[in-house]
Amino acid sequence: MINYNVDKKGFYGDFGGAFVPEMLYPNLNELTLNYVRISKSKSFKKKFNQLLKDYVGRPTPLYFAQSLSEKFKCKVYLKREDLCHTGAHKINNTIGQILLAKELGKKRIIAETGAGQHGVATATVCALLGFKCIIYMGEVDIKRQSPNVARMKMLGAEVRPAKSGSRTLKDATNEAIRDWISNPVDTHYIIGSVVGPHPFPDMVARFQSVIGYETVNQLNELENKSKPDYVIACVGGGSNAAGIFYPFLNDEDVKIICVEAAGKGVNTGKSAATSILGKEGIIHGSKTLLMQTNDGQITEPYSISAGLDYPGIGPMHANLYKSGRGEFISVTDKKAMEWGLLLSQMEGIIPAIETAHAFAILDQKKFKKNDIIVFNCSGRGDKDLDTFIEYFKL
Ligand SMILES: *Cc1c(COP(=O)(O)O)cnc(C)c1O
C-alpha cells in the first residue's frame, strides 16, 4: 500500500522537509521531539476534546443537502465547519497548538495572517488561555481587512504591520519567522495551515483530522457506511482539505478532489491555481509546489477569496497532485461567486467565498446516482458580505 501521509523524515513523497536557516533548528527540534508525544497524551486529549466540544461547538453536523442532491442526482453531504466558533475550521488548529504551547511552557504566541482569519482564530485562543499575542500582517492586508484587524485588537492581540516586499501574506510570514528566531525560548509560532517546515504540516493536519474522523462516525450513523465515494475541499494552504481527507488518505476507494482558485482564469496572470501553475521549489521552509518566475522569485497569487491566495500548497497536497491520488480542479472567481449565491438560495447556507469554490465543481463533474459526496463546508460567509454586496449589487 502506498503511504500518502507523512514519513518519519517529515516528507510526503518528494515534498516537505524542513529547509530553514540553522538558527531555527532549536525551535523546530523542540517541536519535532514533542508534538506527537504531547498530542497523544491522555491529559492533552482530554483538554483538546473538551474545548472542541464546549468552546468550538463540535462535533459539527454532517448535513444531508436535499436540494443539491436532487438537482445533481447523487447524495451530497456538507460537513459544517462553518458552524465552528469564529466561523471556520481554523480554530481546530489554533486550539491544538495553543495547548501544545502551554505544555511546552511558552508564554508568547506569534502568527502570520493574510486576510486576518487565522489572526482572529489565534487571537481568540490567546484570549482564552491568557497568552501574549502578536500577529504579523502585511500593511496592504491591514488596509483591506479592517474588520478582522479590529477583531484581533478587541481580543487583545497586537497587530504588527509587515512593511517589506509586496506587504502581504508572504512578507508577514517572513517577519514572523524572524521574530521566532529572535525569541526561541518563550515563543511559539502558530502557523495557520498545513504549510511551513516539518513538523507543522503534519501537526496541523493531525489537529484538523477531527473533521475527517467525525465524518466517518457520522456516515456510519446516517448511511451505515464508514466511507464516502468522494471527499471534496477547497485548497488554499490545504488545512481544511487535509482535515477531511485524513482518515481516507490511504484508502483509494475514496476519491479525493482538491479545488483551487483559478482567480480570473488560470492563464490570465491573476490566479492562485498553485498545482497547475506551480513548480517545485522551497517556500517558508518546505519543499512543495509554488508559483514562481523562471528565476525562482515567488509570484503574487490572486483570488477574490483572501483565504485561497497563497502562492504555494502544502507538501501533502503537492504529493497528492504529483502522484495522481488527488484530482485537482480550479474554479474562477465568477463561478465561485455564483455558487455563493446558489448555495445560499438552495440550502439557506451562506458560505465563505473559499468554500463556495468547492461546490462549483458540481457544474464540471458528473457523479453516479448513489455516490456519496462529502463537501467540507470550511467556513461561513459573514466575513465576505461586503464582497458579495459589491459583486451582486445587493
Ligand atoms: C483560511 C480558509 C481556507 C483556506 O485555508 P486552508 O488551509 O486551505 O483550509 C478555506 N476556507 C476558509 C473558510 C478559510 O477561512
Side-chain angles (χ1 to χ4, degrees):
M1 190 176 76
I2 305 173
N3 176 32
Y4 295 98
N5 212 327
V6 73
D7 67 20
K8 285 203 177 75
K9 293 185 170 150
F11 280 84
Y12 299 83
D14 297 334
F15 303 105
F19 299 86
V20 296
E22 209 173 306
M23 280 147 78
L24 213 54
Y25 286 179
N27 311 46
L28 286 177
N29 240 342
E30 187 186 25
L31 271 185
T32 306
L33 290 174
N34 291 298
Y35 80 107
V36 173
R37 178 184 59 81
I38 292 176
S39 64
K40 281 190 168 173
S41 75
K42 239 188 185 159
S43 65
F44 180 95
K45 276 201 217 156
K46 190 168 167 222
K47 286 179 217 155
F48 185 49
N49 292 333
Q50 190 86 48
L51 284 175
L52 289 181
K53 175 167 171 280
D54 298 333
Y55 189 71
V56 176
R58 306 204 70 92
T60 60
L62 184 68
Y63 163 68
F64 177 68
Q66 185 95 38
S67 306
L68 283 178
S69 299
E70 277 167 18
K71 179 161 178 178
F72 293 95
K73 300 186 173 57
C74 55
K75 290 180 170 174
V76 179
Y77 282 92
L78 274 53
K79 182 61 174 158
R80 299 290 310 276
E81 294 304 294
D82 58 311
L83 295 176
C84 291
H85 178 46
T86 68
H89 65 288
K90 286 192 174 70
I91 189 95
N92 303 322
N93 169 48
T94 55
I95 296 249
Q97 287 204 48
I98 196 114
L99 289 174
L100 187 74
K102 199 172 171 191
E103 289 294 315
L104 291 171
K106 308 291 174 182
K107 302 278 183 282
R108 181 176 173 271
I109 296 294
I110 55 171
E112 84 297 335
T113 198
Q117 294 304 110
H118 173 56
V120 171
T122 302
T124 300
V125 297
C126 287
L128 174 69
L129 292 180
F131 277 72
K132 186 171 165 54
C133 179
I134 290 151
I135 306 291
Y136 288 94
M137 189 168 185
E139 211 170 33
V140 170
D141 291 331
I142 288 179
K143 287 219 178 75
R144 284 195 290 210
Q145 309 288 342
S146 57
N148 275 339
V149 175
R151 283 186 188 104
M152 289 183 260
K153 288 181 177 166
M154 273 198 79
L155 292 160
E158 177 191 338
V159 180
R160 283 195 193 162
K163 298 181 180 177
S164 64
S166 55
R167 295 171 291 145
T168 57
L169 177 63
K170 69 178 165 52
D171 312 292
T173 306
N174 292 337
E175 295 285 333
I177 291 172
R178 226 165 277 152
D179 181 314
W180 205 25
I181 288 174
S182 313
N183 299 286
V185 178
D186 70 339
T187 299
H188 176 66
Y189 177 16
I190 300 191
I191 292 185
S193 190
V194 285
V195 299
H198 179 69
F200 280 100
D202 182 46
M203 180 167 69
V204 177
R206 284 170 189 257
F207 290 144
Q208 292 291 2
S209 70
V210 62
I211 303 172
Y213 288 114
E214 281 177 10
T215 301
V216 171
N217 290 338
Q218 290 165 325
L219 276 175
N220 264 324
E221 243 168 63
L222 294 163
E223 290 282 344
N224 224 347
K225 264 179 142 173
S226 58
K227 50 183 157 181
D229 295 288
Y230 290 86
V231 276
I232 301 165
C234 64
V235 173
S239 69
N240 87 87
I244 198 155
F245 297 166
Y246 202 89
F248 312 113
L249 275 176
N250 292 335
D251 182 348
E252 302 205 29
D253 291 347
V254 180
K255 295 179 203 79
I256 283 173
I257 301 181
C258 297
V259 187
E260 294 185 311
K264 294 196 188 294
V266 169
N267 295 314
T268 60
K270 286 212 149 261
S271 179
T274 316
S275 61
I276 298 167
L277 295 170
K279 289 189 292 255
E280 294 183 17
I282 289 169
I283 181 169
H284 302 138
S286 173
K287 188 172 174 211
T288 189
L289 291 172
L290 60 133
M291 290 168 33
Q292 52 188 310
T293 59
N294 284 335
D295 45 356
Q297 293 296 317
I298 292 166
T299 326
E300 198 67 24
Y302 165 83
S303 161
I304 195 166
S305 67
L308 299 185
D309 71 357
Y310 182 68
I313 45 172
M316 175 199 281
H317 302 70
N319 186 47
L320 292 175
Y321 179 77
K322 191 173 175 183
S323 64
R325 171 72 182 95
E327 180 179 2
F328 282 66
I329 297 179
S330 54
V331 162
T332 59
D333 288 355
K334 181 168 182 290
K335 279 278 170 201
M337 292 303 281
E338 287 167 8
W339 264 91
L341 205 56
L342 196 62
L343 192 70
S344 303
Q345 297 181 0
M346 285 186 74
E347 297 289 346
I349 294 170
I350 301 177
I353 302 173
E354 290 85 352
T355 313
H357 281 76
F359 289 94
I361 68 143
L362 286 167
D363 291 332
Q364 301 185 21
K365 204 174 158 66
K366 287 269 165 294
F367 296 99
K368 293 207 279 297
K369 190 158 182 302
N370 284 319
D371 278 349
I372 298 173
I373 319 283
V374 179
F375 283 95
N376 198 3
C377 194
S378 60
R380 58 180 176 245
D382 311 31
K383 70 181 177 64
D384 296 320
L385 212 57
D386 284 344
T387 313
F388 282 124
I389 289 170
E390 203 178 308
Y391 195 89
F392 293 112
K393 311 274 178 273
L394 300 171

PDB file of all heavy atoms in Angstrom, residues 87-90 117 192-194 234-241 307-308 352 354-355 378-380 383, ligand 1:
ATOM      1  N   GLY A  87     -16.307  30.910  12.985  1.00  0.00           N
ATOM      2  CA  GLY A  87     -16.819  30.845  11.615  1.00  0.00           C
ATOM      3  C   GLY A  87     -16.100  29.969  10.615  1.00  0.00           C
ATOM      4  O   GLY A  87     -16.466  29.969   9.432  1.00  0.00           O
ATOM      5  N   ALA A  88     -15.099  29.227  11.050  1.00  0.00           N
ATOM      6  CA  ALA A  88     -14.405  28.351  10.101  1.00  0.00           C
ATOM      7  C   ALA A  88     -13.604  27.295  10.856  1.00  0.00           C
ATOM      8  O   ALA A  88     -13.546  27.305  12.094  1.00  0.00           O
ATOM      9  CB  ALA A  88     -13.476  29.163   9.206  1.00  0.00           C
ATOM     10  N   HIS A  89     -12.988  26.407  10.088  1.00  0.00           N
ATOM     11  CA  HIS A  89     -12.219  25.292  10.664  1.00  0.00           C
ATOM     12  C   HIS A  89     -10.943  25.734  11.368  1.00  0.00           C
ATOM     13  O   HIS A  89     -10.365  24.955  12.117  1.00  0.00           O
ATOM     14  CB  HIS A  89     -11.842  24.331   9.531  1.00  0.00           C
ATOM     15  CG  HIS A  89     -10.899  24.961   8.536  1.00  0.00           C
ATOM     16  ND1 HIS A  89     -11.313  25.935   7.652  1.00  0.00           N
ATOM     17  CD2 HIS A  89      -9.576  24.801   8.329  1.00  0.00           C
ATOM     18  CE1 HIS A  89     -10.269  26.338   6.937  1.00  0.00           C
ATOM     19  NE2 HIS A  89      -9.210  25.665   7.319  1.00  0.00           N
ATOM     20  N   LYS A  90     -10.461  26.942  11.111  1.00  0.00           N
ATOM     21  CA  LYS A  90      -9.122  27.324  11.584  1.00  0.00           C
ATOM     22  C   LYS A  90      -8.948  27.183  13.092  1.00  0.00           C
ATOM     23  O   LYS A  90      -7.857  26.913  13.579  1.00  0.00           O
ATOM     24  CB  LYS A  90      -8.801  28.755  11.163  1.00  0.00           C
ATOM     25  CG  LYS A  90      -8.494  28.855   9.672  1.00  0.00           C
ATOM     26  CD  LYS A  90      -7.898  30.188   9.319  1.00  0.00           C
ATOM     27  CE  LYS A  90      -7.470  30.227   7.861  1.00  0.00           C
ATOM     28  NZ  LYS A  90      -8.617  30.238   6.934  1.00  0.00           N
ATOM     29  N   GLN A 117      -8.174  35.864   8.982  1.00  0.00           N
ATOM     30  CA  GLN A 117      -8.951  34.777   9.597  1.00  0.00           C
ATOM     31  C   GLN A 117      -8.104  33.977  10.590  1.00  0.00           C
ATOM     32  O   GLN A 117      -8.545  33.677  11.693  1.00  0.00           O
ATOM     33  CB  GLN A 117      -9.510  33.836   8.526  1.00  0.00           C
ATOM     34  CG  GLN A 117     -10.528  34.460   7.610  1.00  0.00           C
ATOM     35  CD  GLN A 117     -11.691  35.041   8.357  1.00  0.00           C
ATOM     36  OE1 GLN A 117     -11.860  36.254   8.426  1.00  0.00           O
ATOM     37  NE2 GLN A 117     -12.498  34.193   8.954  1.00  0.00           N
ATOM     38  N   GLY A 192      -0.887  28.739  10.347  1.00  0.00           N
ATOM     39  CA  GLY A 192      -2.329  28.580  10.160  1.00  0.00           C
ATOM     40  C   GLY A 192      -2.777  27.552   9.145  1.00  0.00           C
ATOM     41  O   GLY A 192      -3.972  27.334   8.974  1.00  0.00           O
ATOM     42  N   SER A 193      -1.840  26.900   8.457  1.00  0.00           N
ATOM     43  CA  SER A 193      -2.280  25.883   7.506  1.00  0.00           C
ATOM     44  C   SER A 193      -1.245  24.765   7.456  1.00  0.00           C
ATOM     45  O   SER A 193      -0.278  24.787   8.227  1.00  0.00           O
ATOM     46  CB  SER A 193      -2.488  26.509   6.116  1.00  0.00           C
ATOM     47  OG  SER A 193      -3.127  25.577   5.257  1.00  0.00           O
ATOM     48  N   VAL A 194      -1.441  23.802   6.569  1.00  0.00           N
ATOM     49  CA  VAL A 194      -0.529  22.649   6.511  1.00  0.00           C
ATOM     50  C   VAL A 194       0.685  22.991   5.655  1.00  0.00           C
ATOM     51  O   VAL A 194       1.010  22.300   4.686  1.00  0.00           O
ATOM     52  CB  VAL A 194      -1.236  21.381   5.986  1.00  0.00           C
ATOM     53  CG1 VAL A 194      -2.132  20.789   7.054  1.00  0.00           C
ATOM     54  CG2 VAL A 194      -2.045  21.672   4.730  1.00  0.00           C
ATOM     55  N   CYS A 234     -11.934  22.891  -0.721  1.00  0.00           N
ATOM     56  CA  CYS A 234     -11.130  23.951  -1.330  1.00  0.00           C
ATOM     57  C   CYS A 234      -9.735  23.914  -0.714  1.00  0.00           C
ATOM     58  O   CYS A 234      -9.563  23.462   0.417  1.00  0.00           O
ATOM     59  CB  CYS A 234     -11.787  25.316  -1.132  1.00  0.00           C
ATOM     60  SG  CYS A 234     -11.899  25.841   0.589  1.00  0.00           S
ATOM     61  N   VAL A 235      -8.764  24.378  -1.485  1.00  0.00           N
ATOM     62  CA  VAL A 235      -7.381  24.351  -1.010  1.00  0.00           C
ATOM     63  C   VAL A 235      -6.734  25.721  -1.158  1.00  0.00           C
ATOM     64  O   VAL A 235      -6.626  26.247  -2.259  1.00  0.00           O
ATOM     65  CB  VAL A 235      -6.543  23.319  -1.811  1.00  0.00           C
ATOM     66  CG1 VAL A 235      -5.073  23.422  -1.436  1.00  0.00           C
ATOM     67  CG2 VAL A 235      -7.051  21.915  -1.558  1.00  0.00           C
ATOM     68  N   GLY A 236      -6.372  26.286  -0.005  1.00  0.00           N
ATOM     69  CA  GLY A 236      -5.529  27.474  -0.009  1.00  0.00           C
ATOM     70  C   GLY A 236      -4.136  26.965   0.312  1.00  0.00           C
ATOM     71  O   GLY A 236      -3.345  26.633  -0.566  1.00  0.00           O
ATOM     72  N   GLY A 237      -3.835  26.832   1.614  1.00  0.00           N
ATOM     73  CA  GLY A 237      -2.639  26.106   2.035  1.00  0.00           C
ATOM     74  C   GLY A 237      -2.958  24.620   2.093  1.00  0.00           C
ATOM     75  O   GLY A 237      -2.110  23.769   1.857  1.00  0.00           O
ATOM     76  N   GLY A 238      -4.221  24.313   2.453  1.00  0.00           N
ATOM     77  CA  GLY A 238      -4.663  22.925   2.427  1.00  0.00           C
ATOM     78  C   GLY A 238      -5.117  22.329   3.746  1.00  0.00           C
ATOM     79  O   GLY A 238      -5.286  21.119   3.852  1.00  0.00           O
ATOM     80  N   SER A 239      -5.378  23.168   4.784  1.00  0.00           N
ATOM     81  CA  SER A 239      -5.647  22.559   6.089  1.00  0.00           C
ATOM     82  C   SER A 239      -7.060  21.991   6.233  1.00  0.00           C
ATOM     83  O   SER A 239      -7.237  20.929   6.827  1.00  0.00           O
ATOM     84  CB  SER A 239      -5.355  23.542   7.224  1.00  0.00           C
ATOM     85  OG  SER A 239      -6.264  24.604   7.256  1.00  0.00           O
ATOM     86  N   ASN A 240      -8.070  22.675   5.678  1.00  0.00           N
ATOM     87  CA  ASN A 240      -9.407  22.081   5.816  1.00  0.00           C
ATOM     88  C   ASN A 240      -9.495  20.819   4.974  1.00  0.00           C
ATOM     89  O   ASN A 240     -10.133  19.837   5.360  1.00  0.00           O
ATOM     90  CB  ASN A 240     -10.506  23.116   5.523  1.00  0.00           C
ATOM     91  CG  ASN A 240     -10.895  23.242   4.064  1.00  0.00           C
ATOM     92  OD1 ASN A 240     -11.749  22.516   3.580  1.00  0.00           O
ATOM     93  ND2 ASN A 240     -10.256  24.171   3.339  1.00  0.00           N
ATOM     94  N   ALA A 241      -8.805  20.832   3.831  1.00  0.00           N
ATOM     95  CA  ALA A 241      -8.772  19.640   2.975  1.00  0.00           C
ATOM     96  C   ALA A 241      -8.050  18.491   3.691  1.00  0.00           C
ATOM     97  O   ALA A 241      -8.566  17.374   3.773  1.00  0.00           O
ATOM     98  CB  ALA A 241      -8.081  19.975   1.654  1.00  0.00           C
ATOM     99  N   GLY A 307      -8.608  33.869   1.480  1.00  0.00           N
ATOM    100  CA  GLY A 307      -8.062  32.648   2.094  1.00  0.00           C
ATOM    101  C   GLY A 307      -7.437  31.686   1.104  1.00  0.00           C
ATOM    102  O   GLY A 307      -6.776  30.737   1.496  1.00  0.00           O
ATOM    103  N   LEU A 308      -7.661  31.892  -0.178  1.00  0.00           N
ATOM    104  CA  LEU A 308      -7.088  30.963  -1.166  1.00  0.00           C
ATOM    105  C   LEU A 308      -5.897  31.549  -1.899  1.00  0.00           C
ATOM    106  O   LEU A 308      -5.274  30.878  -2.715  1.00  0.00           O
ATOM    107  CB  LEU A 308      -8.153  30.521  -2.185  1.00  0.00           C
ATOM    108  CG  LEU A 308      -9.371  29.786  -1.633  1.00  0.00           C
ATOM    109  CD1 LEU A 308     -10.268  29.297  -2.758  1.00  0.00           C
ATOM    110  CD2 LEU A 308      -8.978  28.608  -0.749  1.00  0.00           C
ATOM    111  N   ALA A 352     -18.488  30.940   3.007  1.00  0.00           N
ATOM    112  CA  ALA A 352     -17.318  31.766   2.705  1.00  0.00           C
ATOM    113  C   ALA A 352     -17.021  31.612   1.213  1.00  0.00           C
ATOM    114  O   ALA A 352     -17.343  30.582   0.619  1.00  0.00           O
ATOM    115  CB  ALA A 352     -16.115  31.291   3.524  1.00  0.00           C
ATOM    116  N   GLU A 354     -14.202  31.142  -0.164  1.00  0.00           N
ATOM    117  CA  GLU A 354     -13.280  29.999  -0.293  1.00  0.00           C
ATOM    118  C   GLU A 354     -14.087  28.719  -0.477  1.00  0.00           C
ATOM    119  O   GLU A 354     -13.883  27.941  -1.407  1.00  0.00           O
ATOM    120  CB  GLU A 354     -12.420  29.847   0.985  1.00  0.00           C
ATOM    121  CG  GLU A 354     -11.383  30.926   1.208  1.00  0.00           C
ATOM    122  CD  GLU A 354     -11.959  32.156   1.920  1.00  0.00           C
ATOM    123  OE1 GLU A 354     -13.192  32.233   2.099  1.00  0.00           O
ATOM    124  OE2 GLU A 354     -11.163  33.048   2.293  1.00  0.00           O
ATOM    125  N   THR A 355     -15.026  28.527   0.448  1.00  0.00           N
ATOM    126  CA  THR A 355     -15.861  27.323   0.469  1.00  0.00           C
ATOM    127  C   THR A 355     -16.682  27.186  -0.810  1.00  0.00           C
ATOM    128  O   THR A 355     -16.852  26.080  -1.346  1.00  0.00           O
ATOM    129  CB  THR A 355     -16.813  27.403   1.677  1.00  0.00           C
ATOM    130  OG1 THR A 355     -16.066  27.796   2.831  1.00  0.00           O
ATOM    131  CG2 THR A 355     -17.510  26.090   1.923  1.00  0.00           C
ATOM    132  N   SER A 378     -16.046  24.696   4.651  1.00  0.00           N
ATOM    133  CA  SER A 378     -14.970  25.167   5.534  1.00  0.00           C
ATOM    134  C   SER A 378     -15.305  26.397   6.366  1.00  0.00           C
ATOM    135  O   SER A 378     -14.774  26.558   7.468  1.00  0.00           O
ATOM    136  CB  SER A 378     -13.693  25.417   4.734  1.00  0.00           C
ATOM    137  OG  SER A 378     -13.907  26.387   3.735  1.00  0.00           O
ATOM    138  N   GLY A 379     -16.184  27.280   5.848  1.00  0.00           N
ATOM    139  CA  GLY A 379     -16.468  28.475   6.638  1.00  0.00           C
ATOM    140  C   GLY A 379     -17.708  29.214   6.179  1.00  0.00           C
ATOM    141  O   GLY A 379     -18.250  28.948   5.106  1.00  0.00           O
ATOM    142  N   ARG A 380     -18.152  30.154   7.003  1.00  0.00           N
ATOM    143  CA  ARG A 380     -19.369  30.892   6.660  1.00  0.00           C
ATOM    144  C   ARG A 380     -19.040  32.237   6.032  1.00  0.00           C
ATOM    145  O   ARG A 380     -17.929  32.745   6.136  1.00  0.00           O
ATOM    146  CB  ARG A 380     -20.265  31.040   7.874  1.00  0.00           C
ATOM    147  CG  ARG A 380     -19.656  31.725   9.058  1.00  0.00           C
ATOM    148  CD  ARG A 380     -20.707  31.798  10.196  1.00  0.00           C
ATOM    149  NE  ARG A 380     -20.155  32.371  11.391  1.00  0.00           N
ATOM    150  CZ  ARG A 380     -19.995  31.727  12.553  1.00  0.00           C
ATOM    151  NH1 ARG A 380     -20.329  30.445  12.645  1.00  0.00           N
ATOM    152  NH2 ARG A 380     -19.512  32.346  13.593  1.00  0.00           N
ATOM    153  N   LYS A 383     -17.962  37.113   6.779  1.00  0.00           N
ATOM    154  CA  LYS A 383     -16.775  37.928   6.540  1.00  0.00           C
ATOM    155  C   LYS A 383     -16.718  38.444   5.106  1.00  0.00           C
ATOM    156  O   LYS A 383     -15.993  39.387   4.816  1.00  0.00           O
ATOM    157  CB  LYS A 383     -15.516  37.112   6.853  1.00  0.00           C
ATOM    158  CG  LYS A 383     -15.258  36.003   5.842  1.00  0.00           C
ATOM    159  CD  LYS A 383     -14.031  35.181   6.157  1.00  0.00           C
ATOM    160  CE  LYS A 383     -13.829  34.035   5.193  1.00  0.00           C
ATOM    161  NZ  LYS A 383     -13.572  34.432   3.799  1.00  0.00           N
TER     162      LYS A 383
HETATM  163  C1  LIG B   1      -8.426  30.011   5.548  1.00  0.00           C
HETATM  164  C2  LIG B   1      -9.590  29.414   4.891  1.00  0.00           C
HETATM  165  C3  LIG B   1      -9.456  28.479   3.846  1.00  0.00           C
HETATM  166  C4  LIG B   1      -8.139  28.116   3.233  1.00  0.00           C
HETATM  167  O1  LIG B   1      -7.205  27.559   4.087  1.00  0.00           O
HETATM  168  P1  LIG B   1      -6.866  26.003   4.075  1.00  0.00           P
HETATM  169  O2  LIG B   1      -5.665  25.894   4.929  1.00  0.00           O
HETATM  170  O3  LIG B   1      -6.592  25.623   2.639  1.00  0.00           O
HETATM  171  O4  LIG B   1      -8.032  25.279   4.604  1.00  0.00           O
HETATM  172  C5  LIG B   1     -10.605  27.902   3.330  1.00  0.00           C
HETATM  173  N1  LIG B   1     -11.828  28.232   3.795  1.00  0.00           N
HETATM  174  C6  LIG B   1     -11.999  29.133   4.789  1.00  0.00           C
HETATM  175  C7  LIG B   1     -13.370  29.445   5.240  1.00  0.00           C
HETATM  176  C8  LIG B   1     -10.894  29.746   5.366  1.00  0.00           C
HETATM  177  O5  LIG B   1     -11.071  30.635   6.349  1.00  0.00           O
END
